[in-house]
Amino acid sequence: MLIKALHICPQNSHTSSLPKAQPSFQRPHKSNPPLQISKFPQKPNHEISTLKEICRHRSLKQAFLSFNNTLSTHQNHTPQFPWEEAYSSLLELCAAQGAVPQGQQIHAHILTSNASLDDGFLATKLLFMYGKCGLLSDARRVFDEMTQRSVFAWNALIGAYASSGRPYEALEIYWAMRVAGIVYDACTLTVVLKACGMLKDLDHGTEIHGLAIKCGLVSFGFLVNSLISMYSKCGDFSRARQLFDLLPEREDVVTWNSVISAYSQNGHYFEALRQFREMQKAGVAMNTYTAVGVLQACTELLLARFGMEIHAALLRSGRKLDMFEANALVVMYARSGRIVDAVKMFHAMDEIDSVSWNSMLSGYVQNGFYNEALGFFYQMQELGHKPDQVSVISIVSASGRLGNLLNGMEIHAYAIKQGFDSDMQVGNTLIDMYVKCCCVKYAERIFYRMTDKDFISWTTMIAGYAQNHYYLEAIDLFRQVQREGMKVDPMMIGSVLHACGGLMCISYAEQIHCYAVRNGLFDLVLENSVLDIYGLCGKIKYTSQLFKMIKNKDVVSWTSMISSYVRNGLANEALDIFRDMIEADIEIDMVAMMGILSAVASLSTLSKGKEIHGFLIRRCFVMDGPIISSLVDMYARCGTVDNCFKVFNMIRCDDLVLWTSMINACGMHGRGEEAVDLFRKMQQTSVKPDHITFLVLLYACSHSGLFDEGRIYLEIMKNEYQLEPWPDHYACVVDLLGHSDRLNEAYEFIKNMPIEPTAAVWCALLGACRVHSDNELGEFAARKLLELDSENPGNYVLASNVFAASKKWKDVEEVRMRMRVKGLKKNPACSWIEVGNKVHTFIARDRSHPQTLEIYSKLDDIISTLEKEAGYVAETRFVLHNVREDEKKKLLHGHSERLAIAFGLIATPKGTPIRITKNLRVCGDCHHFTKLVSKYFEREIVVRDANRFHHFISGLCSCGDFW
């Protein structure tokens, strides 16, 4: 509550309990240097008219030259000359232009002349001038020294405090005026209402309204305008509208400005523009305040066309745009994405202030022109403009978006020197910048040093932790937020869920899910986030249930569901969801297409892949970047590397991912020399290889027996590109040596590795030992493998096979027992083939297929034909079970890929390729069997196993028996 009565002396007293202003120490403004004035004036009466006319035209220099010439011409004082009028005109001009040095000179001249301040007229003018220039201490000093204080003097002092952003003091002075018995007028109430609006003090504002009605002052239009403005600022929009509707005449532009401003301040931008149209229909011409208010509405609504109409109207008016209008136009154009027009407007301005610079700077940042923002910032400094807190916030944000840590730290240092770093908004922006530059510790240091933190501070820090893989820290900080009793919003919950996903912590994710539901925070964005988390953690049942519960699914919901199915090996379900998505008429985006291409690739269903490719073309997707890379990968995994080259050659792209995908496609199809050739071509472009590129290149060398090339490229990777190899790179080299039957050399390579061998390295050696029947080294590698990775069932199977090859059945049983104790299960061998838009799946010795009798009959015919014509004899050494020889043959004949081949020969037309996918590696006997089938049954057979592709044609395989 404000103090309504102050114990002060009568108005003649020089001492009172009014709020004391601090002494003001002003330097002369560079733009308005002090002008020299003679001491005593002498001037005929016609000269005062000339002076007033010059002052009306706002020409400060000409006014002082005119006055100075008169003073230098007349040496004797003329008592009849209207000195007060001359001083008054000059003081009003100084107040209007904020010319503090010139106003102080006039004050000094009045004191040294015979002009009187006793009647209060000139003293009030001085008080008004100091107040307008923001020198409250000087204004207050003049007020205290006045022997007669009229209502005009009180009004000037109240207005000075209100205009300087000190509404409490303004209201205290008003109540002191009432206590002193000064009769207020409409102007008094106007400035008091302004102070109430600034404080959003509706109670006192309503009280002043009642006082105005009681005294009959509501007939003054400017007072009604002030009432409308006060009510709108206090959030009582209905009363503001009622006052406007009760006005009998609406020909005053200020009244229209008040109601337009009221609508804008309450977010009713369309209504503000409608009122502007009504104002135009009423024939009221707009002024600067109208233009700024309407342009603000256009900015918020992104109505650039309407804003351009306002701009055109201002140009047609024939007057020069003032700085406020120009700034509003710069902001409007920038926010509407018309950055070129904003730049033109900025450069056309005659006068530029800090708002102009900051508007242009933030415009660059908002439109993604971050490098241009940095250049503009340095240009601003070169031209002598000192950046303020708003400038720092914009440029720090640009540095963060660019990931430009050096510039960000430079601006941070500037903020510290200027004392801006204590500002909460600056601190929040610095945290965000360091987070985006992956310097979490710097961001953390700023966060904990901030004395004042708001909700944005906490949210930004939690998001920063989660985005930079500091998952535990993100969760701990969220717990602290809860302990502080702070409100939580969906954005913060989303960051915490991201941390849960990073930790694969499904239990905590479920708790956060429940917390969000209980607190009413569960919006669509969070529902999609939870879908992702459950899918990532393998809880596909929860994911499916939640997806069905979402009422208003968007493209992100559908895409998350597709990704979850693909991630959990449910590619067919992903295809079903994609069909439902199309039927639901959802606008499909690039992320969804990449997900479904991944599903097709995992199934190796070429016909589905071609359908998706056609869909992309029909929907006019831009064929570049990630989409092209996904298409290449899909065709590669569907067994048609020629189609990969067709897609690759469609565009000229300097995308590393695309080159890498193409090299990988050649590698998995045994076309190692083409992979090496592609890498050489890539080196001739501006694209630089990364770790993944070298990994797929070494993989290609490994599966094509290019031993020398593999060793060379490992050295190039280290020496030429300064890339430190990962364990997987070393595993590729071990695999290459092992497949080349250089097992001892591979073992020596492992011992001399600069890093500790991982499970992948020993797995590569173990696989080579299995191929080349080096059981002794294989057993050693198997034990090492199980020591390093005892949770992978595949490792136990490999180890078991090595012991079985040596007929060490006791060790085999021990390995299998360890698997059972740990609850691990071997993935059953499975093969599938696509026929007639349907995928047919087979497991070893499978009899569940509807055509199973026909399939087994066909398989018997195939075996019989191969035995008679090719002399085929089953290699039972590949059966690693302790059973009789005839049982081993039966086991071999029941392998899943043989069933798929038999079905393919039955279900597909003669001469067409048979495409089969297998989840495990093809055994040696099945590889030999398939070669013979391709020759004697004249079919191309494409088999994709767990390692690579095999193209069987006329009794030969693309792998050259090297796999």
Side-chain angles (χ1 to χ4, degrees), residues 846-862:
D846 190 5
R847 292 186 178 272
S848 62
H849 195 277
Q851 296 175 261
T852 187
L853 293 176
E854 191 178 356
I855 292 169
Y856 274 95
S857 175
K858 183 65 176 178
L859 183 58
D860 289 340
D861 290 343
I862 295 170

Side-chain angles (χ1 to χ4, degrees), residues 505-525:
C505 183
I506 189 64
S507 61
Y508 200 73
E510 289 172 340
Q511 292 177 43
I512 299 298
H513 182 184
C514 295
Y515 176 87
V517 172
R518 285 197 308 271
N519 289 276
L521 302 171
F522 209 51
D523 59 6
L524 182 58
V525 175

